[in-house]
Amino acid sequence: MSWDPVYQLIKTIPRGQVTTYGLLAKALKIRGGARTVGHAMAATPSGEGIPWHRVVAAGGRLIIREPIASKQRKLLESEGVPMRNGRVEISSCLWTPPSARAKPRKKASPRTRTASER
DNA sequence: CATCTGACGACCG
DNA sequence: GCGGTCGCCAGAT
C-alpha cells in the first residue's frame, strides 16, 4: 500500500501548526482511521523532508514512545508550536487539511468481488 | 491461512 | 483532567 497521499498531506502542514492522526485519516478517507495512519508514519522514510513530528495524537498528546517522543517534542518547540507540560496546545495550533484528494475507497463493482477484496 | 501487535480514537470511570 | 478498556485496520510472524 502506498501512503503517498498521507506523506503529501503531511508535507503541506504549515510550520508552527500540527494535526492529528484521526484528522488525516478522515481527510484522506482512510479505512481504519488513526491506526492505519500510524502505520503510514511508521513506514515514513526518515529524513525525506516529511515533518512527521507535526503529527500528534488526538488532544495534542504525544503518545509515541521514546526516544522519538522527546525528539518530536523538541522539534515542535523549534517550530514554534505552543506546548504545555509535554502536551501540545492543539487548540491553538491545530491545522485542518483543506480537503481530501485521494480516495482509497475501492468498493467498485458490486459484482464478483472475488478474492481481490479483503 | 491464523494470530498478535501496533507513531490511535472514542468512551467510561 | 487523567487513566484504563474496547474497537478499528494493516502488516509482520
Side-chain angles (χ1 to χ4, degrees):
Chain A
M1 189 176 280
S2 306
W3 302 108
D4 285 343
V6 181
Y7 302 145
Q8 298 307 316
L9 191 56
I10 294 174
K11 281 183 183 174
T12 62
I13 302 178
R15 178 181 174 282
Q17 292 189 277
V18 296
T19 186
T20 69
Y21 293 95
L23 219 47
L24 291 171
K26 252 189 315 192
L28 294 174
K29 304 296 184 298
I30 296 181
R31 300 197 296 133
R35 204 92 207 200
T36 310
V37 176
H39 277 257
M41 301 301 297
T44 302
S46 324
E48 291 299 316
I50 303 177
W52 59 268
H53 52 270
R54 287 180 190 156
V55 185
V56 297
R61 39 184 206 182
L62 308 173
I63 104 178
I64 318 177
R65 288 115 132 104
E66 303 291 327
I68 48 187
S70 304
K71 179 157 50 176
Q72 180 177 29
R73 197 174 93 178
K74 191 172 185 170
L75 286 168
L76 287 172
E77 289 188 61
S78 245
E79 297 276 309
V81 175
M83 304 217 341
R84 217 194 37 162
N85 241 349
R87 304 320 149 201
V88 182
E89 273 200 280
I90 197 169
S91 314
S92 303
C93 60
L94 176 62
W95 174 79
T96 43
S99 53
R101 45 197 51 162
K103 201 222 256 214
R105 275 280 72 110
K106 47 200 349 183
K107 76 69 252 148
S109 352
R111 66 202 280 312
T112 175
R113 42 158 53 189
T114 65
S116 291
E117 281 288 343
R118 227 188 147 178

